Amino acid sequence: MNALNTSMIATALVPLGDDLGVAPSAAIALVSTLYVASAIAQPMLGAVADLVGPRRTFVAGMCVVAVAGLVGGTAGSLAGLLAARVLAGIGTAAGYPTAMVLLRQRESSTGVRVPSSILGAIAIAVQVTSALGLPVGGVLTAMWGWRAVFWVNAPLGVALALAGLAWFPRDDHRGQNLELRSVFGQLDIGGVTLFAGVVTALSLALIPDPRGGWEMYSVAGAAAILFAFRESRARSPFLDVTMIRLHPALAMTLMRNALTSVVMYCYLYGFVQWLQDMRTASSLVAAAVVAPTTLISIATAGLAARSARIRRPLVVGAVLGVAGTAALAGIGLSGSLWWALPTAIGVGLMTGLTTVANQSALLMQAPRERMGNAAGAMRAGANVAAIVSSGVIAFWYPVGANDAGLTGIACTMVILAGVVVVMVVGDRGLPATR
């Protein structure tokens, strides 16, 4: 649901802007709003799952998704649609951290490690739904209008809430006697507020003009310092920076996953925009050009899931990522789409190999009692990575996509992929296998 909502809105921006009299520059806020909301909500809901249990947290999150569908489907203004996107970002944020808590609980209760195939299934599900978002949004908008992109959350949210009640194991007694007021009292609302300030200021600085907005960069930096100071002293931190500091291997995994996500998002959004602006490709043609990347990453994740190895897939994936992003620079320098195939292979293999391996590393490195918080931090990092990638694209495409801008994006990706290589090779705390 989170992956679908991040991408299927793209096809509805123009028609909803025409109906509501909203400029495209304002309508694009519907995209970044969900990223910001999810980045804030995922660590928080991970902490809630640790506190009251994953089943309760998931079901509540899916109910919020259903409400988001009703709000968006009936909204008559941009403000109402933004509220719906915030609710969708919060509700869908319950998915990943509750899944990781459930897996860790099952592993502890049975004494049997979680099969890699399960981790691969999670990775594949995210990649498949991300790829399907654009065509699904296009079909919904074409058949029932742009409001269908919002309405679809209502029945899906209800169905998922019922599925959670039917299939998830019951939570233990720890959360049964906790009142809502008590739950909020144990959450770090001050930390949530500061983190929201960091992410919001960062998004305002990077989107749509990362060359300016130095005031927002300053606000984001100041908020980040205050956030880190507070969280290191909080009794029940929103984002457990002390846990991350005391587990450097976990910190490396979170950073490695975030940098890999920046590379992936830069490729998907930056290359697609170049195809549409420079090659006047339609949305479906552009999606078809980048589809091999998704297919390769899905197939690779499935193969990686059959293995218990962690270190080798990360090394190989990072090296291939450098090669694939260098090939993307070849497209910008030559204008030839022949470079698209090695780019798709390199980026696809990097994504597929590293996603499963990073999830395996997270399960091993995070403390059991803080698994929800750690999983939420990983997904929050991926959402912040999407915001950063938007800033990278906006920096190199100040007035629209062009060959020089695509080359600049590719060079940025090469540097980031190279950093990932160094991090993997130099990480002595990274296990070889699960």
Side-chain angles (χ1 to χ4, degrees), residues 17-319:
D18 292 339
D19 284 354
L20 301 179
V22 176
S25 58
I28 198 67
L30 293 169
V31 177
S32 59
T33 296
L34 188 134
Y35 283 129
V36 172
S38 294
I40 296 168
Q42 279 165 334
M44 182 174 66
L45 293 179
V48 172
D50 288 330
L51 183 63
V52 305
R55 185 173 185 259
R56 298 184 185 95
T57 305
F58 178 82
V59 171
M62 294 308 103
C63 290
V64 173
V65 173
V67 173
L70 297 176
V71 172
T74 58
S77 65
L78 179 62
L81 296 180
L82 288 171
R85 293 287 286 176
V86 170
L87 290 172
I90 294 172
T92 58
Y96 185 79
T98 54
M100 298 304 285
V101 172
L102 281 167
L103 292 179
R104 188 60 177 267
Q105 288 180 353
R106 179 62 62 86
E107 188 175 63
S108 298
S109 64
T110 61
V112 179
R113 69 175 179 85
V114 176
S116 296
S117 59
I118 300 297
L119 300 176
I122 294 175
I124 291 170
V126 172
Q127 292 165 19
V128 167
T129 50
S130 296
L132 289 177
L134 188 61
V136 166
V139 170
L140 290 173
T141 303
M143 296 186 66
W144 296 288
W146 61 265
R147 288 189 182 276
V149 173
F150 293 88
W151 274 119
V152 70
N153 283 313
L156 288 177
V158 172
L160 286 167
L162 294 175
L165 290 172
W167 296 335
F168 284 11
R170 290 186 177 276
D171 296 320
D172 57 35
H173 65 279
R174 57 184 165 171
Q176 290 178 353
N177 299 321
L178 286 176
E179 297 179 355
L180 186 61
R181 181 185 303 177
S182 176
V183 173
F184 277 101
Q186 296 187 52
L187 294 178
D188 181 17
I189 302 302
V192 173
T193 303
L194 284 172
F195 185 73
V198 174
V199 177
T200 303
L202 183 65
S203 64
L204 291 175
L206 290 173
I207 307 170
D209 184 15
R211 297 170 185 260
W214 297 109
E215 299 85 354
M216 287 294 101
Y217 286 120
S218 300
V219 172
I225 293 172
L226 291 173
F227 173 75
F229 180 80
R230 176 188 172 85
E231 295 305 276
S232 64
R233 289 160 174 77
R235 185 171 59 181
S236 300
F238 157 69
L239 187 61
D240 197 340
V241 297
T242 300
M243 173 189 67
I244 296 173
R245 178 175 58 83
L246 294 177
H247 296 80
L250 173 61
M252 290 286 282
T253 295
L254 296 176
M255 180 60 69
R256 188 172 58 241
N257 188 74
L259 290 177
T260 304
S261 297
V262 174
V263 173
M264 180 189 68
Y265 284 123
C266 281
Y267 166 72
L268 287 177
Y269 298 141
F271 187 35
V272 165
Q273 188 172 340
W274 180 85
L275 287 169
Q276 292 178 316
D277 288 354
M278 292 297 294
R279 294 300 181 93
T280 64
S282 66
S283 296
L284 290 179
V285 170
V289 173
V290 300
T293 305
T294 302
L295 296 176
I296 291 170
S297 66
I298 291 171
T300 305
L303 293 174
R306 299 179 181 180
S307 171
R309 291 177 176 172
I310 295 178
R311 188 179 186 87
R312 183 179 296 179
L314 287 172
V315 173
V316 175
V319 172

